[in-house]
Amino acid sequence: MSLLLLKSATIIDATGKHHLKKRDVLIEKGVIKKIATSLQEKGAREIELPNLHISRGWFDSSVSFGEPGYEERENISNGLRTAAFSGFTQVAVNPNTNPVTDTKAGVQFLKAKAEGNPVSLFPVGALTVRGEGKDLAELYDMYNEGAVAFGDYKNPVKNPNLLKIALQYCQNFNALVQSMPYEPQVATKGVMNEELNSTRLGLKGIPALAEELQITRDLYLLEYTGGKLHIPTISTKTGVELIRNAKKKGLNVSCSVAVANLMLTDDELEEFDTNYKLLPPLRAEADRKALIKGLKDGTIDGVTSDHDPIDIENKKTEFDHAMFGSIGLESSFGALNAVLGTELAVQALTSLKERFGVPSAALEEGSTANITLFDPEPDYAFSEKDIRSTSMNSAMLGKKLKGRAYGIYSNKKLVLNK
């Protein structure tokens, strides 16, 4: 469609002049042509939706789709469709596939599968060969093919010298290195947060120390080497404080938090529901509050759904043996909006774009139209009918959420929930 007219849309874009104003927005051939109080345009397709709000397109920095190798969990086509219906115009896709995305051919495969899609896919390359933590992967080749960051998904860099070399090497082409905040020798075989609840339930705990030791180590390495470091999905009060102090020292570090850790605590594990078996684990209420505070004051740079589809055979089993992970794209906005409010939720869903080198177009005349459409008001309990992913392993099932995405306009394509 060459002409599209969004009617009576409340604009959420804190950096723009139309913030919190209700406007008509005319889009022509993928570019915002005009924004005004009232517009009429002959031949334009008009979109008029109840309580329509729009913002810059949302970006998720940590999404897993399974393909290649684990298509029974999720394939790229359905994963991107799920992202679009959930309000995401851009996603960074993790390398936890089979084979692992550790070569330029792997990056090319992901980009080719997503070509022409309304949602833009940005590959995250594995930091090490096969994600095994022994030898650096083909980082420069993957970077040239379009990888936006490098990290071994959910696998910590055990060898500090390897991370040191990676941070030094990646400075040559200004690449972003990710390091999972998880010390496996401290976490051992833990399956949930180590605190009162783990003792009471008789489950092995993952102490906050496992996160905090790794963050401390990685920040010392960053201070020594320079470079750009991103610490994904922090979960503890002390972890927030460590990064806050590092930023005050001027270190080039960023971090994210998973939506589940902002909304839920380890009290959820009372019934041994494996949907709540997550990594990082759900922590205590004091940690949850510290994470929210860190997001509000800018210590935490943004949020991720940490969308990780797991097939039923690996999820519906004994708690100790179940795989870590939850899907999250479909519930992200509703959960964030319920916890943070609309303006901060939108900011959290867009603020990591620059860090990952993802385009971020303002809602202004002349800008490329990369837009999320949503209604922040509906209250509802998240249920299986709200899930579009192939896998159903959601930690948000039954939770009270607020707000729904209508869809997106991106790459000259409109996707609306039917």
Side-chain angles (χ1 to χ4, degrees), residues 203-236:
L203 293 172
K204 296 183 182 71
I206 301 174
L209 183 66
E211 176 173 303
E212 294 150 11
L213 278 176
Q214 196 81 349
I215 290 175
T216 300
R217 184 204 75 169
D218 292 351
L219 291 174
Y220 271 118
L221 288 169
L222 179 66
E223 188 171 12
Y224 178 80
T225 61
K228 291 165 59 177
L229 178 66
H230 179 72
I231 300 176
T233 59
I234 68 169
S235 67
T236 67

Side-chain angles (χ1 to χ4, degrees), residues 119-171:
V119 179
S120 299
L121 185 156
F122 297 88
V124 174
L127 185 68
T128 64
V129 176
R130 294 184 293 276
E132 294 175 348
K134 296 177 181 177
D135 302 295
L136 289 184
E138 300 175 1
L139 305 185
Y140 185 61
D141 286 348
M142 287 192 285
Y143 176 82
N144 285 334
E145 289 299 327
V148 293
F150 301 103
D152 297 336
Y153 181 67
K154 299 300 183 187
N155 289 325
V157 185
K158 297 177 186 177
N159 182 345
N161 190 54
L162 192 67
L163 181 61
K164 176 178 77 73
I165 292 169
L167 285 166
Q168 291 171 327
Y169 176 60
C170 285
Q171 290 178 59

Side-chain angles (χ1 to χ4, degrees), residues 2 25 64 121 127 149 168 262 310 331:
S2 59
V25 180
S64 303
L121 185 156
L127 185 68
Q168 291 171 327
L262 293 172
I310 306 295
S331 55

Side-chain angles (χ1 to χ4, degrees), residues 379-398:
D379 292 298
Y380 61 102
F382 188 76
S383 69
E384 288 191 357
K385 67 180 177 60
D386 297 306
I387 293 176
R388 292 182 177 270
S389 302
T390 303
S391 297
M392 309 293 282
N393 57 305
S394 173
M396 294 297 171
L397 283 170

